Amino acid sequence: MKKLLVANRGEIAIRVMTTAKKMGIKTVAVYSTADRNAPHVRFADEAIFIGESPSNKSYLLGSKIIKLAKKIGVDAIHPGYGFLSENADFSEEVAANGMIFIGPRAKAIKIMGSKLAAKEAVKNYDIPMVPGIDNAITDVNKAIEISKEIGFPILIKASAGGGGKGMRVVEKESELEEQMTRAISEATSAFGDGSVFIEKYISSPRHIEIQIMADSHGNVIHLFERECSIQRRHQKVVEEAPSSVLTPELRKKMGEAAIMVAKSCDYLGAGTVEFLLDDKNNFYFLEMNTRLQVEHPVSELIAGVDLVEIQIKVARGEKLSIKQEDLKIKGHAFELRVYAEDPLNDFLPSVGTLDVYKLPQGKGIRVDNGFEEGMEIPIYYDPMLSKLITYADTRNEAMELMLKAITNYKVEGVQTTLPFGKFVFEHEAFRSGNFNTHFVKDYYSPELLEGKIKEEAKLAAIIALKKYLKDKEILRVNS
Ligand code: ADP
Ligand code: ADP
Ligand code: MG
């Protein structure tokens, strides 16, 4: 492998190219009109223009990217996450054109891309699943019957859903018909597939996922868990590894279950098997994401590996060089997703220009970043600016480091999730490890955050005033 194209943008494009460079592989970036001056373009050895700003006119044009890649002698394509990463046809077309797709084969992507097909595939492996049905449902009466059996509340889910979209909680029978009609129409317009199904709504779960890695020689390992329970709109904002609630026994059990899921679809490369864990420590298979995950850095830090490097090696056909028994958890890592979103306004995207943009630095601080000062935030894509990651010997130290890093991360011009992150890392429930996926609903309100921000501003003003008076005093004494 001599030349690698990253079919993505922003921080993940830079993240992947960093490892490729380290391995002596030439890098190629792709970009849309909006991204012509983006850092990922300058970071690459070569860059090709792929089209207009909307992603369906650029980053989602698989065939076009493949054609252009072939022209300049690319021999491998890394899809990052989002965009084409879970597109089975793309994986197949890359291979059919004589290039290496850095990810699983089309069959595995297809199975795991559908939550229903995934349940079907893992059924025979004795893996606990959320109670519910395992086929698409359209008949309201049948849905009512099933929901009564499972017991309300239930969750209607889109089989093709992702990114926290396409889910509806139904509390009682009288709401079911309306919610189902909406869910089907939403799934059809958002995912081009109206299949929905029903799951029991687990009341206070934690989201725990296992990182796995598979080579083409039948070896599969897991690289421990990530805890991703701090979510807004069913989407993660804060992640950590290891989880503070997993015992070594439970970790082993969930790790083995994840490996079975990978084996059920003849998996290749990096993947994530997601589970819900209830308050009695029962775990249930949710879905598998067939790609590198946004929050992969926390696993890299505690396991001491470079996941992209392993992805590239197994894609080249090499055997995994690490064995399960060689892996040990060392230290504790956190990740805060820094989104250009307003935590005081329902986490809505905050558009604008990064008038000030300064990253924190120091031992144990890693920022996977795709932006720089002066840049405008394109409205066309996911508004994630960077991932702020901290790593230390203990959970407490890594938390303190995160708070320090948040303070030293300077952003002006747009609102971000940084103040929300500070709120989380200062919150007693989070600090004690006693939280679940309802953290935001249970503990967070914009008023609380606003109050805290005002209080801090007041405190800062008092400190400044005291200093001023003291300086004046010194002046008087000295003159
Ligand atoms: P992860 O699953 O890696 O923890 P996300 O759920 O935020 O993180 O998804 C990663 C990226 O992929 C995000 O940019 C998200 O918007 C996008 N994404 C995931 N699934 C889908 C989907 N089915 N349709 C559109 N975008 C998706
Ligand atoms: P996506 O493809 O959007 O990532 P997931 O199935 O992974 O969908 O679920 C995303 C999040 O939604 C979970 O982390 C959890 O917070 C919530 N969730 C999903 N299924 C259930 C369930 N059966 N009960 C309670 N919460 C759920
Ligand atoms: Mg998920």
Side-chain angles (χ1 to χ4, degrees), residues 408-420:
N408 292 332
Y409 201 138
K410 306 285 183 207
V411 186
E412 279 171 34
V414 297
Q415 302 303 317
T416 72
T417 46
L418 282 166
F420 171 75

Side-chain angles (χ1 to χ4, degrees), residues 81-82 86 160-165 191 235-236 274 289 291-295 337 339 382:
Y81 54 72
E86 289 169 281
K165 296 173 195 89
F191 311 111
Q235 209 193 15
K236 306 152 189 170
E274 299 190 330
N289 293 327
R291 54 174 161 90
L292 191 68
Q293 198 108 335
V294 173
E295 58 276 21
R337 299 192 192 188
Y339 283 98
D382 195 81

Side-chain angles (χ1 to χ4, degrees), residues 114-337:
S114 149
K115 293 190 188 347
L116 283 170
K119 281 178 194 268
E120 185 64 35
V122 306
K123 221 178 184 168
N124 304 324
Y125 290 82
D126 200 23
I127 290 156
M129 292 207 251
V130 184
I133 46 166
D134 52 10
N135 42 36
I137 190 161
T138 46
D139 181 350
V140 177
N141 289 326
K142 186 123 183 272
I144 290 176
E145 195 184 303
I146 290 161
S147 303
K148 278 181 170 164
E149 244 168 65
I150 302 171
F152 285 95
I154 57 108
L155 192 61
I156 304 178
K157 266 181 156 174
S159 179
K165 296 173 195 89
M167 265 177 272
R168 282 177 173 269
V169 184
V170 185
E171 304 280 351
K172 47 183 188 283
E173 191 182 326
S174 59
E175 295 167 359
L176 190 69
E177 179 161 11
E178 193 194 332
Q179 297 286 20
M180 217 169 109
T181 315
R182 281 201 199 170
I184 293 172
S185 102
E186 266 173 24
T188 311
S189 62
F191 311 111
D193 173 0
S195 315
V196 301
F197 62 100
I198 291 172
E199 255 180 19
K200 180 163 185 58
Y201 186 67
I202 308 287
S203 63
S204 306
R206 299 174 77 113
H207 175 118
I208 309 265
E209 57 186 35
I210 306 281
Q211 174 70 53
I212 66 105
M213 189 63 87
D215 68 17
S216 54
H217 304 268
N219 305 301
V220 190
I221 55 170
H222 74 84
L223 297 105
F224 315 113
E225 79 280 6
R226 291 185 288 260
E227 158 94 51
C228 315
S229 298
I230 308 291
Q231 311 177 342
R232 46 102 186 74
R233 293 190 291 263
H234 301 299
Q235 209 193 15
K236 306 152 189 170
V237 220
V238 173
E239 297 104 343
E240 68 177 300
S243 160
S244 45
V245 288
L246 250 57
T247 58
E249 293 76 43
L250 190 53
R251 175 171 296 124
K252 186 161 180 274
K253 246 167 87 180
M254 292 179 78
E256 279 164 4
I259 289 176
M260 299 272 258
V261 172
K263 287 192 167 161
S264 80
C265 62
D266 193 17
Y267 202 76
L268 172 66
T272 296
V273 182
E274 299 190 330
F275 296 98
L276 288 182
L277 184 73
D278 72 14
D279 45 12
K280 292 178 191 71
N281 271 357
N282 299 305
F283 64 89
Y284 307 97
F285 171 67
L286 256 191
E287 65 160 344
M288 178 173 194
N289 293 327
T290 55
R291 54 174 161 90
L292 191 68
Q293 198 108 335
V294 173
E295 58 276 21
H296 74 277
V298 292
S299 300
E300 297 190 312
L301 289 163
I302 62 147
V305 299
D306 178 336
L307 287 170
V308 175
E309 183 182 335
I310 310 178
Q311 275 193 305
I312 291 175
K313 286 183 172 167
V314 297
R316 287 196 302 220
E318 291 171 36
K319 265 193 186 154
L320 280 172
S321 62
I322 352 171
K323 293 205 163 49
Q324 191 66 56
E325 52 276 21
D326 299 337
L327 284 163
K328 271 201 183 63
I329 297 179
K330 189 170 176 286
H332 202 101
F334 286 104
E335 174 181 285
L336 166 64
R337 299 192 192 188

